[in-house]
Amino acid sequence: MHVLNDTSQLAAALSPLRMRVLRELHQPESATSLAPRLGLSRQTLNYHLRELEREGFLEVVEERPRRGCVERLLKVTSRAFVVNPALLGALSDDPHQARDRFSSAFLLATATGLIRDVAVLTERARAVEQRLATFTMDCEIGFASPAAFRAFTEELAARVATLASKYDNATAKSRRFRVVVGSHPVVTKSAAAAAAETARHQRQRQRQHRNTRNSARRE
């Protein structure tokens, strides 16, 4: 996992063409083999490959002679890339601005802060060749009703508070950790199904709006 902390890196990878290049190069390939699939000349593709390599997205894994020249095989440097929200500066979200802890805005703001902090700590740990101590819990739960969901969140909060009180050590030698607990519905619909649902909703709203206007005119 590679976190993008520089605006030049982000700019280098934003174009649809370069994102496709990165997807294709999860396995080592050369410009000669990749260019026909992308519908590009080898010279044009080489330009994009050099830019992506310069920004740290690609690395050379092999060089081999081929017809009087050297063929370079490249692959992506990480299995995945994540944009550090800190790149947005003051425009990034702040959980303190979202007061409702049950809102999606608060969850997104908290997740934004999580990515930002872990990105900073990962870079610092790597600089001193240390491993960053983290843990992650992830599970899916089926709730019978909104009341059951609410009861679960209240019980979970109470138990986490009990554990936090039990293990919290305020001495100077203790190392502080941040524990984040959140939940969201599981994504079950395809993009096409969600788009169709949105279209149906918009048509329904338009009919309701027309009916309201017609009723107002008759009155």
Side-chain angles (χ1 to χ4, degrees):
M1 178 73 73
H2 182 79
V3 180
L4 305 184
N5 293 303
D6 190 276
T7 53
S8 65
Q9 286 184 314
L10 186 59
L14 274 181
S15 77
L17 172 59
R18 290 185 179 178
M19 285 192 285
R20 186 180 174 191
V21 169
L22 292 174
R23 287 196 300 269
E24 294 286 345
L25 286 175
H26 275 282
Q27 297 296 327
E29 281 202 66
S30 67
T32 302
S33 61
L34 182 58
R37 292 211 307 275
L38 298 178
L40 300 172
S41 68
R42 188 177 61 186
Q43 292 76 14
T44 299
L45 179 58
N46 269 325
Y47 166 75
H48 293 290
L49 293 178
R50 284 194 296 271
E51 289 297 302
L52 290 171
E53 183 181 359
R54 181 172 63 86
E55 293 297 340
F57 290 98
L58 298 176
E59 62 183 353
V60 178
V61 295
E62 185 182 351
E63 293 184 338
R64 58 193 183 193
R66 180 182 174 88
R67 299 177 183 176
C69 62
V70 177
E71 184 179 40
R72 304 167 77 241
L73 275 72
L74 301 103
K75 67 174 295 187
V76 292
T77 54
S78 296
R79 60 180 176 81
F81 298 90
V82 175
V83 177
N84 186 347
L87 287 177
L88 294 175
L91 296 178
S92 62
D93 213 345
D94 181 0
H96 298 294
Q97 296 178 1
R99 298 180 181 180
D100 181 6
R101 291 180 175 269
F102 287 91
S103 69
S104 58
F106 190 89
L107 180 60
L108 286 172
T110 301
T112 296
L114 179 66
I115 295 172
R116 182 175 58 243
D117 291 350
V118 173
V120 169
L121 293 168
T122 298
E123 290 297 320
R124 292 176 181 177
R126 185 180 293 119
V128 294
E129 298 182 340
Q130 295 291 323
R131 183 180 176 88
L132 185 64
T134 64
F135 76 94
T136 305
M137 295 184 296
D138 185 12
C139 69
E140 292 184 14
I141 304 173
F143 294 102
S145 66
F149 171 72
R150 187 75 180 216
F152 171 81
T153 60
E154 291 174 354
E155 185 175 350
L156 178 62
R159 295 197 179 188
V160 170
T162 299
L163 286 172
S165 177
K166 176 180 178 181
Y167 288 98
D168 186 33
N169 188 313
T171 63
K173 294 184 178 180
S174 66
R175 186 176 182 185
R176 308 299 295 174
F177 279 76
R178 183 182 180 209
V179 178
V180 176
V181 180
S183 70
H184 61 81
V186 175
V187 177
T188 57
K189 297 176 183 175
S190 66
E197 182 180 30
T198 299
R200 288 194 300 270
H201 176 73
Q202 290 175 344
R203 289 194 297 269
Q204 183 180 4
R205 290 291 301 272
Q206 290 171 355
R207 286 195 297 268
Q208 291 174 343
H209 183 62
R210 286 196 298 268
N211 292 338
T212 300
R213 284 190 304 174
N214 292 335
S215 298
R217 287 171 182 171
R218 286 194 296 268
E219 294 176 357

